[in-house]
Amino acid sequence: MCVGIPMQILSVEGIAARATGAEGEALIDLSLTGPLTPGTWVLTHLGCAREVISPEEAALIAEALAGLRSLMAGGSAEGAFADLENRSPALPPHLEAARAAGLSKA
């Protein structure tokens, strides 16, 4: 399983950037996103920026990852998934469309 890590761009040099996140600073590859400016938040996978994300999305992902780290250390994930705790489960749009069209086997 590959986990995306939110990081904020500190500086850019060509297709590489120095970025910071919950686990410290790292040099990341910008080949998939193209040129970015300092301050931009990206979701990284294995040292490569895969997509630009909003600061709000970065905060939600960081909270969820902190909750997972806490659980793995024997603690609690209290509040780490606040964006999911008070909502009903929902199908992705393409599956909801199939269900609404009667294509579901359920």
Side-chain angles (χ1 to χ4, degrees), residues 20-75:
T20 187
E23 299 177 7
E25 286 190 20
L27 187 64
I28 60 172
D29 183 339
L30 300 179
S31 297
L32 297 175
T33 61
L36 297 174
T37 58
T40 302
W41 282 92
V42 292
L43 192 60
T44 65
H45 296 268
L46 301 172
C48 185
R50 297 287 303 253
E51 66 180 288
V52 173
I53 58 176
S54 70
E56 296 79 17
E57 187 174 7
L60 288 173
I61 295 167
E63 288 172 13
L65 292 173
L68 290 174
R69 279 192 293 276
S70 176
L71 282 174
M72 290 169 53

